[in-house]
Amino acid sequence: LANYKGIKGRTNKKIIENYMGVIEYEEYLVKINSSIGIIIIEGNKMNLNQINENDVLISGAISKIYLESTEEE
């Protein structure tokens, strides 16, 4: 996500490759465990359209994608 510049606009579809599991799934939020950390996708009307052993396809009005902070307090 180092080159991520934001996603705005209408309904989007994103493929997360090399995912290791779905941690949380709500209509407004999806948390995916991946090899680079926990990816958080926020938006509206989120759907998990396809899931296989390597990839997950997420659709919805995606407003934000970011990595969960791993800083220890």
Side-chain angles (χ1 to χ4, degrees), residues 18 20 23 46 50 62:
N18 302 317
M20 299 163 64
I23 297 170
M46 306 291 283
Q50 293 180 331
I62 298 170

Side-chain angles (χ1 to χ4, degrees), residues 11-70:
T11 302
N12 295 297
K13 291 184 180 179
K14 296 296 168 197
I15 295 175
I16 307 297
E17 297 177 334
N18 302 317
Y19 89 106
M20 299 163 64
V22 177
I23 297 170
E24 185 175 347
Y25 170 61
E26 303 286 340
E27 185 177 337
Y28 58 89
L29 173 85
V30 179
K31 284 187 178 184
I32 304 289
N33 192 17
S34 76
S35 58
I36 62 169
I38 296 173
I39 299 171
I40 300 174
I41 304 165
E42 296 179 359
N44 293 305
K45 299 181 181 177
M46 306 291 283
N47 289 300
L48 301 178
N49 296 91
Q50 293 180 331
I51 299 175
N52 65 38
E53 62 186 48
N54 299 312
D55 308 324
V56 59
L57 173 63
I58 300 168
S59 68
I62 298 170
S63 60
K64 191 174 184 182
I65 300 175
Y66 57 97
L67 285 174
E68 184 173 82
S69 175
T70 57

